[in-house]
């Protein structure tokens, strides 16, 4: 789904058309963050590209927010009470910078959504079992999200648990958060994985929007 991974632009365009047709959308309806693993969040009112952003928010019908992933977690958020949605891209870099928390706070403070009215889905990204990280992560994340690997100074990092906990601490009810059980690394017949493929692989697209 990405034109920046070396695939033929014509093939990517055809893939996108097939995908979006299933959802009743068109490519020119997409609002697309140009992701850099940052904490950039933008409230948007129209389609197009948004540089240096990893999360978008909108209340405009007919504008569909997308994120691209291949191990990082895609997060889709919607209000149960008002027309309001967000799409977030959060690997460990985004999680360290609290991009999900910053998105939820802006939805509350600037868009008027109570956090207990929000629902969200996380994934598919790297599962804890396949998210090995180095010793420096002990300075980045609380120990509850790091699981030591015996005989080494390395850890397994549970990014999805971190994201779920972040949302709940900001008031999103746990029963309104779904974490998909899939793993981008493990389920190689279903998903691309940057880690599994050594950095050269495609991207999946996750989309959310408000129908007109």
């Amino acid at each position: 789904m990405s034109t920046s991974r070396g695939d033929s632009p014509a093939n990517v365009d055809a893939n996108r058309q097939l995908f979006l047709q299933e959802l009743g959308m068109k490519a020119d309806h997409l609002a697309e963050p140009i992701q850099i693993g940052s904490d950039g969040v933008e409230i948007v009112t129209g389609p197009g590209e948004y540089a240096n952003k990893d999360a978008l928010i909108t209340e405009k019908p007919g504008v569909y927010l997308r994120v691209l992933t291949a191990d990082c977690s895609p997060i889709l958020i919607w209000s149960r009470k008002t027309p309001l949605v967000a799409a977030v891209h959060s690997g460990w870099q985004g999680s360290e910078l609290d991009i999900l928390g910053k998105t939820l706070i802006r939805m509350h403070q600037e868009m008027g959504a109570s956090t207990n009215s929000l629902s969200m889905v996380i994934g598919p990204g790297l599962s804890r079992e396949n998210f090995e990280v180095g010793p420096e992560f002990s300075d980045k994340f609380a120990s509850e999200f790091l699981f030591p690997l015996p005989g080494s100074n390395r850890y397994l990092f549970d990014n999805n648990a971190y994201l779920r906990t972040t949302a709940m601490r900001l008031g999103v009810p746990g029963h309104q958060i779904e974490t998909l059980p899939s793993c981008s690394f493990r389920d190689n017949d279903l998903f691309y994985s940057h880690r599994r493929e050594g950095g050269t692989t495609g991207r999946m697209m996750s989309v959310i929007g408000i129908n007109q």
Side-chain angles (χ1 to χ4, degrees):
M1 295 291 179
S2 172
T3 58
S4 66
R5 302 295 103 189
D7 292 315
S8 158
N11 288 346
V12 172
D13 182 63
N15 289 341
R16 287 187 170 206
Q17 293 293 339
L18 288 169
F19 174 64
L20 295 171
Q21 279 179 353
E22 289 293 316
L23 302 176
M25 303 175 190
K26 296 181 180 179
D28 59 7
H29 294 166
L30 292 177
E32 304 189 73
I34 307 304
Q35 301 164 195
I36 58 171
S38 71
D39 61 351
V41 182
E42 186 155 342
I43 297 167
V44 304
T45 58
E49 293 186 341
Y50 294 87
N52 302 327
K53 304 298 177 185
D54 281 78
L56 300 179
I57 303 168
T58 194
E59 58 183 2
K60 295 289 289 185
V63 177
Y64 297 96
L65 314 178
R66 72 94 174 121
V67 289
L68 301 176
T69 59
D71 280 341
C72 298
S73 292
I75 308 151
L76 304 180
I77 309 166
W78 62 99
S79 170
R80 301 162 69 91
K81 294 185 178 179
T82 60
L84 179 65
V85 296
V88 182
H89 162 260
S90 190
W92 70 261
Q93 297 98 327
S95 292
E96 183 184 16
L97 295 169
D98 193 29
I99 189 170
L100 175 59
K102 291 172 181 175
T103 302
L104 293 169
I105 289 169
R106 292 193 68 177
M107 294 177 81
H108 171 61
Q109 294 183 347
E110 299 180 43
M111 312 300 288
S114 60
T115 51
N116 65 10
S117 75
L118 299 176
S119 293
M120 55 187 280
V121 62
I122 303 168
L126 285 175
S127 63
R128 183 181 84 188
E129 292 74 16
N130 293 292
F131 208 151
E132 183 177 335
V133 297
E136 70 279 6
F137 270 65
S138 63
D139 295 323
K140 300 177 184 295
F141 297 97
S143 60
E144 64 185 293
F145 307 113
L146 296 171
F147 298 82
L149 286 168
S152 79
N153 61 354
R154 300 179 67 79
Y155 302 92
L156 295 176
F157 173 50
D158 198 335
N159 190 40
N160 288 341
Y162 173 83
L163 294 167
R164 177 182 175 85
T165 299
T166 296
M168 291 178 65
R169 286 174 177 166
L170 288 171
V172 181
H175 68 273
Q176 291 168 203
I177 303 170
E178 180 180 4
T179 302
L180 299 184
S182 303
C183 170
S184 54
F185 184 96
R186 180 192 66 224
D187 301 327
N188 62 346
D189 57 333
L190 294 174
F191 306 113
Y192 295 116
S193 170
H194 181 272
R195 182 169 293 212
R196 186 184 64 234
E197 304 300 335
T200 303
T201 191
R203 294 293 184 269
M204 289 89 70
M205 180 187 289
S206 301
V207 180
I208 190 168
I210 304 158
N211 289 330
Q212 292 180 309

